[in-house]
Amino acid sequence: MRVVIAEDSVLLREGLVRLLGDAGIETVATVGDGPGLLGIVKEHNPDLAIVDVRMPPSFTDEGLRAALAVRENRPGTPILVLSQYVEERYATDLIGGGTEGVGYLLKERVSDIEEFIDAVRRIAEGGTVIDPEVIGQLLGRRRAGDPLASLTPREREVLGLMAEGRSNAAIARRLVVSDGAVEKHISNIFAKLTLPPTGDDHRRVMAVLAYLKAG
């Protein structure tokens, strides 16, 4: 796997390079600002771009805007956005532009090396990974007209794990239930969110989008 990194902190940037290298993942280029990301993606056509949300000059959302520009100019490029804090709008903006190969994680997740590398690989393979903290905040909201209001606590829990990119088998292991029970919960989620069968696998992603938009 070949990745590029856009991160203004030299310490974190080099740490990511080392961590990825130890896992057999090659970093082909790094930059410290959003505009530079566009250039290295165009030059190297990486399997994944890892991007900090806040970078020079204003340290607001330059990285996110650069990531969205990459997705617009080179559709299908897997993107993992890293953020210092939980910022739900950034997650919804990112996933709203296309759900395959998208990730939004807090920087603190990097310290759990095994989980972080697993997320990197899943995103590069076309998966969607949203930070559990973002999921927790969104799923914890109870507002009038919320399309998730009809879900049971267990169904919300399953939906949260789906948004983390977990497979049915992984969800079953986490919740200590059978694969059949997970399938039933997911079927109920689809029914309650009015997501009928369409002959493809996109209902799973649409369910994730439903609660992100509800936030």
Side-chain angles (χ1 to χ4, degrees), residues 40-119:
I40 60 175
V41 168
K42 181 178 180 180
E43 179 181 355
H44 296 281
N45 191 28
D47 299 306
L48 174 72
I50 299 176
V51 188
D52 183 11
V53 166
R54 301 187 176 194
M55 289 192 288
S58 70
F59 293 96
T60 54
D61 63 353
E62 286 85 357
L64 176 70
R65 286 189 279 109
L68 295 176
V70 166
R71 297 281 287 187
E72 180 178 355
N73 296 333
R74 304 179 73 86
T77 300
I79 299 283
L80 168 55
V81 168
L82 299 177
S83 179
Q84 187 69 38
Y85 310 102
V86 174
E87 297 172 282
E88 298 163 11
R89 178 177 64 83
Y90 293 159
T92 55
D93 286 349
L94 182 66
I95 199 170
T99 55
E100 293 185 358
V102 171
Y104 179 90
L105 293 175
L106 292 179
K107 289 184 176 180
E108 66 187 57
R109 306 300 175 198
V110 177
S111 62
D112 188 334
I113 298 174
E114 184 176 346
E115 284 287 329
F116 177 71
I117 293 298
D118 178 61

Side-chain angles (χ1 to χ4, degrees), residues 143 145-151 156 192-193 210-211 214:
R143 302 191 310 176
D146 182 356
L148 307 183
S150 62
L151 299 185
R156 285 173 172 262
K192 292 179 179 180
L193 296 183
Y211 84 76

